[in-house]
Amino acid sequence: MKSLAIIPARSGSKGLKDKNIKLLHGRPMLAYTVEAAKKAGIFDAVHVSTDSEAYRKIAEQYGAEVPFLRSGALASDTAVTWDMVRWTLEQYRALGKRFDRVALLQPTSPLRDERDILAAHQMMEEKGAGAVVSVCEMEHSPLWSNVLPKDGNMKGFIREELLRQRQGLPVYYRLNGAVYMVDETLLWQEPMELYGEKTYAYIMPKERSVDIDDEFDFAMAETMISRKGK
């Protein structure tokens, strides 16, 4: 069983410029994910998928391998992540390397560490899963949310039975983007059913589930890293 970690780090981020290499507590953001993948000790290769030569140098500095750059079409805003994963596997095949399992580890989840990767791996083994996807408990139940009309009127915003119940509501979880561990055969299915009956959720603690998309998320991650250091 050969496993490949893929860390997607394209250079065209718009919400937070160059967020994948933005210095987070003194280190490029992608460095946290590269180091977590290497510490897990279960991967035959830790690959950073990037379209940038500058990103490649940073990735290699922290121990990742970047034997080829991602094509421009797969680095666009509209590119599908799993298309990139399949393309990456094809490039490795051309180099004579094949993998049975792929872990997609997004660098925008820098608080995820080797414990989470190993736990997802163990779940794959124990359940004979086709995929394991990380989630965390939602900060607030979606049952307390709704859409608003243009005039902002809140009539019917919350269902009456919820206002009476309040206690005992079900726990909801959200995708946190930290770990996607997938059997290689699932990647080539048409259609690819990532959230089918062979996929299981790995529940991560909220304090390691920050997914950086904007300045607020970035500040939250910096605060958590600082507190961890203390």
Side-chain angles (χ1 to χ4, degrees):
M1 174 72 72
K2 289 188 175 294
S3 298
L4 171 69
I6 298 179
I7 301 168
R10 70 185 185 92
S11 60
S13 173
K14 292 181 178 178
L16 190 61
K17 183 175 173 56
D18 282 326
K19 66 180 177 182
N20 290 318
I21 60 167
K22 186 176 173 66
L23 293 183
L24 175 64
H25 209 65
R27 294 195 298 164
M29 194 190 305
L30 66 79
Y32 291 87
T33 298
V34 171
E35 291 182 353
K38 292 182 72 65
K39 283 182 180 179
I42 60 172
F43 299 113
D44 296 276
V46 175
H47 171 78
V48 168
S49 173
T50 184
D51 58 321
S52 164
E53 191 62 51
Y55 282 31
R56 171 190 247 169
K57 291 178 180 178
I58 293 171
E60 291 175 340
Q61 177 186 344
Y62 285 91
E65 63 176 56
V66 192
F68 45 82
L69 293 178
R70 196 192 308 189
S71 68
L74 291 173
S76 69
D77 292 337
T78 59
V80 177
T81 298
W82 297 109
D83 287 343
M84 175 276 293
V85 170
R86 286 185 284 266
W87 179 84
T88 300
L89 287 173
E90 289 174 340
Q91 302 311 301
Y92 270 107
R93 285 180 181 178
L95 296 175
K97 298 180 180 180
R98 290 179 173 267
F99 298 95
D100 307 292
R101 183 174 294 169
V102 174
L104 181 71
L105 307 172
Q106 299 189 128
T108 47
S109 297
L111 303 184
R112 167 253 295 108
D113 60 26
E114 69 275 9
R115 291 172 294 175
D116 301 305
I117 297 169
L118 287 169
H121 172 76
Q122 183 177 352
M123 184 175 286
M124 285 280 287
E125 296 293 311
E126 291 177 350
K127 292 185 176 294
V132 169
V133 177
S134 62
V135 301
C136 66
E137 185 176 334
M138 292 190 68
E139 290 77 5
H140 303 285
S141 172
L143 296 176
W144 296 109
S145 60
N146 208 333
V147 297
L148 283 170
K150 289 183 179 181
D151 66 357
N153 188 282
M154 294 190 72
K155 178 177 173 58
F157 186 83
I158 300 296
R159 301 199 306 271
E160 286 294 327
E161 62 268 26
L162 288 177
L163 292 173
R164 292 192 297 269
Q165 182 180 354
R166 296 191 70 83
Q167 302 298 321
L169 293 177
V171 176
Y172 279 77
Y173 298 88
R174 65 169 176 84
L175 299 172
N176 68 356
V179 181
Y180 296 85
M181 197 163 288
V182 185
D183 188 274
E184 190 263 352
T185 57
L186 180 63
L187 289 166
W188 301 103
Q189 290 182 3
E190 288 292 346
M192 178 186 167
E193 295 185 1
L194 181 59
Y195 302 105
E197 62 181 13
K198 293 287 287 181
T199 295
Y200 293 86
Y202 163 58
I203 302 173
M204 277 178 59
K206 287 191 286 186
E207 64 267 21
R208 296 205 300 272
S209 295
V210 176
D211 183 8
I212 297 176
D213 188 53
D214 56 26
E215 288 287 357
F216 178 83
D217 301 330
F218 190 85
M220 178 68 74
E222 285 224 300
T223 298
M224 295 300 295
I225 292 172
S226 296
R227 289 181 61 185
K228 182 179 178 180
K230 291 178 182 178

